[in-house]
Amino acid sequence: ADWLQTLPTPDGAKFLADKSKPHLTNKEFVEKFEISERGQLLDASLKATLADNLEPVKGEKEYTQRFHNSWWASTVLVFRREALLWWRDKYQLKARIMQDLIMGIVVGTVFWQVQDNPQSVVGVLYQSLFFISMGAMLKVAPQIDVRGTFYKQQDANFFPTSSFVIGRSCAALPTSVIDALFYGTIIYWFTGLAYNEGASVANFFVFLLLVLVTAYSSGLMFSIFSAIVKDRPTAQACMSLTVVFLVLFSGFTVQPDVIPNYWIWAYWINLFAWMLRALLVNEYQSGKYDATFPGTEQTVGETILDRFGFTLNGEPFGYEWVWWGILFAFALCIVSVWGSVFSLKKVRFETGKSLAAHMMDSGDDDDEDVADEVVLDFQKVNLTFKDITYTVTSSITNEPLSLLNGITGYLEAGKMTALMGESGGKSLLTFH
């Protein structure tokens, strides 16, 4: 805008490509534009009737489709944005790594080389599930904080809701990988889980995969609360109740074979139960415990599983239940993503508040110091302005510059009017 305003002044002469040609005045610039092809098209477009003016855009996807980008392009765009935000937050990234390292070392040294104590093995595997789920809960609060931004972008048709949820979910995968690599690796080798004597290093990689799947699926599961609850305290309460449910019916607090029949459904829909079962089967059906237990026809590994109630129809779970556990977690991810998409479409809590509204206490309705609402009685009027001009003096040549010239308008009472156009003059007209 500043460059265009400079062109009609003597200062604009320095932009001439051919210095031998005369410099045009402001009036001459206007006349040249009016007789140009572009000026003629613009003039014809402005003079056209409304119906004629809409003809060129009928059927054009650029004007008729809701989202400018395809679903895939929108999903990739959201993923790249969320991944970039994750990578830029170096403090959070370093804190996560240090958390995994410190907790891995602490838990690993407490349960140092306990492979010969089945009770301790079950305990450390359960503790790992609990720690991973606590880390997943931390992702929900930031999602609530930025929910207002998503609502604005949703209303402006930036991208489909499903693209937002899936892109954000994919961007959460690196955090789960960090949990598996740093925490999972320390726990596996410090506690002495199976890798030899019939087992193999493949059991180690399956263990890492199970930790990764647990971290990722629990994160997506808890993310539903960022879409269906109003604020952080409510989300924290809901997640706490969910964790209590997961712990109670995980198969660790109460053995699976003694859970009452009317509550057994809670065990079979429990992420903790499926992952704890998979971790135990990966350990005790690894091949290291294939020796026959004295006085029985079962192997040592099967006897341990039977002792802790991890049986089905009286038979210990086989190794295929590791893959069934992974499949269950995958299904839970799909359900969680669908639930988040549905909730973000149907449930809203923000009503024009600022993005920092979550920091304000909305429960002070009973405060006696709050002033009563004041209603001002006034008469609505229409606002008109005609031939507004605004001229300033050039700081270089002291020549007057016309910034507003003959501006006329009409604003009707009770209606929102948009002042639109290219850069230059809109803000000046508003302040003037």
Side-chain angles (χ1 to χ4, degrees):
D2 294 338
W3 179 75
L4 290 176
Q5 293 171 359
T6 305
L7 283 180
T9 69
D11 295 336
K14 62 183 179 181
F15 299 112
L16 287 173
D18 187 353
K19 302 298 183 181
S20 63
K21 292 185 177 181
H23 178 245
L24 301 179
T25 64
N26 185 55
K27 183 178 180 181
E28 291 171 335
F29 267 112
V30 173
E31 293 175 349
K32 289 287 186 181
F33 177 76
E34 289 178 346
I35 64 176
S36 67
E37 181 181 357
R38 179 67 176 175
Q40 293 290 331
L41 290 174
L42 181 61
D43 183 63
S45 177
L46 293 174
K47 292 180 179 178
T49 61
L50 184 60
D52 294 338
N53 205 29
L54 287 177
E55 284 297 330
V57 302
K58 288 184 177 180
E60 292 288 338
K61 290 185 177 181
E62 182 177 356
Y63 303 102
T64 57
Q65 67 179 8
R66 182 179 179 184
F67 304 106
H68 180 76
N69 293 325
S70 65
W71 182 89
W72 175 255
S74 297
T75 304
V76 173
L77 181 65
V78 173
F79 168 75
R80 293 179 62 182
R81 183 189 68 178
E82 295 295 323
L84 181 61
L85 293 174
W86 173 82
W87 180 250
R88 284 177 174 174
D89 193 354
K90 301 298 183 182
Y91 177 80
Q92 183 272 341
L93 182 59
K94 294 177 181 178
R96 188 75 177 198
I97 294 175
M98 289 302 301
Q99 172 184 287
D100 288 334
L101 289 175
I102 292 174
M103 285 302 301
I105 293 174
V106 170
V107 176
T109 52
V110 169
F111 293 92
W112 179 263
Q113 300 298 306
V114 295
Q115 64 271 26
D116 295 330
N117 186 340
Q119 183 70 48
S120 295
V121 171
V122 175
V124 70
L125 293 179
Y126 168 77
Q127 190 281 334
S128 298
L129 291 177
F130 188 79
F131 168 73
I132 290 297
S133 67
M134 293 297 100
M137 291 174 59
L138 299 177
K139 304 175 184 178
V140 176
Q143 293 175 1
I144 296 177
D145 295 343
V146 301
R147 190 171 55 193
T149 301
F150 163 74
Y151 287 154
K152 293 180 180 180
Q153 294 174 346
Q154 185 186 49
D155 291 340
N157 296 329
F158 276 29
F159 36 67
T161 304
S162 58
S163 292
F164 171 77
V165 174
I166 293 176
R168 182 184 67 181
S169 301
C170 292
L173 186 59
T175 302
S176 301
V177 173
I178 289 176
D179 290 340
L181 289 179
F182 288 91
Y183 180 80
T185 300
I186 294 175
I187 291 297
Y188 197 88
W189 298 111
F190 275 36
T191 56
L193 298 180
Y195 70 95
N196 57 4
E197 299 179 4
S200 68
V201 72
N203 294 100
F204 165 66
F205 289 108
V206 171
F207 175 84
L208 294 185
L209 177 61
L210 291 172
V211 174
L212 169 62
V213 167
T214 302
Y216 187 65
S217 57
S218 59
L220 295 186
M221 178 180 63
F222 288 131
S223 292
I224 297 179
F225 294 113
S226 68
I228 63 176
V229 299
K230 183 177 181 180
D231 48 32
R232 283 190 177 201
T234 307
Q236 192 65 41
C238 292
M239 289 188 292
S240 298
L241 290 175
T242 303
V243 170
V244 171
F245 177 87
L246 294 173
V247 169
L248 183 59
F249 296 103
S250 63
F252 177 81
T253 307
V254 181
Q255 286 192 189
D257 57 346
V258 297
I259 296 177
N261 291 332
Y262 50 83
W263 277 113
I264 198 64
W265 61 268
Y267 171 75
W268 286 105
I269 66 169
N270 193 325
L271 176 66
F272 275 21
W274 284 86
M275 293 296 101
L276 180 59
R277 183 191 311 118
L279 289 170
L280 286 172
V281 169
N282 181 60
E283 174 67 16
Y284 290 113
Q285 297 284 25
S286 62
K288 182 177 180 179
Y289 304 90
D290 282 352
T292 302
F293 190 80
T296 68
E297 296 181 356
Q298 292 182 324
T299 65
V300 173
E302 291 173 341
T303 302
I304 294 173
L305 291 174
D306 184 61
R307 169 189 168 188
F308 289 102
F310 288 91
T311 59
L312 181 64
N313 299 325
E315 295 293 330
F317 288 106
Y319 199 84
E320 66 275 7
W321 284 92
V322 172
W323 310 115
W324 283 118
I326 294 175
L327 183 61
F328 175 86
F330 180 74
L332 179 62
C333 290
I334 295 177
V335 173
S336 300
V337 169
W338 179 87
S340 296
V341 172
F342 179 82
S343 300
L344 286 174
K345 284 183 177 181
K346 301 298 183 180
V347 181
R348 279 208 176 192
F349 298 100
E350 306 292 340
T351 54
K353 298 179 181 179
S354 66
L355 298 183
H358 68 278
M359 301 176 62
M360 302 174 61
D361 187 359
S362 59
D364 297 335
D365 296 338
D366 298 331
D367 194 342
E368 297 179 357
D369 296 333
V370 178
D372 294 334
E373 182 180 358
V374 178
V375 179
L376 298 178
D377 186 19
F378 64 93
Q379 183 179 0
K380 294 182 179 180
V381 297
N382 298 330
L383 175 65
T384 62
F385 50 92
K386 185 177 181 180
D387 293 334
I388 293 181
T389 60
Y390 186 72
T391 304
V392 298
T393 303
S394 174
S395 60
I396 301 177
T397 63
N398 292 326
E399 182 180 351
L401 298 177
S402 180
L403 302 183
L404 296 177
N405 185 19
I407 306 299
T408 300
Y410 173 84
L411 305 177
E412 188 175 349
K415 291 187 177 181
M416 180 181 292
T417 303
L419 184 61
M420 304 175 65
E422 297 181 356
S423 177
K426 297 189 299 297
S427 299
L428 183 61
L429 176 61
T430 304
F431 293 126
H432 185 74

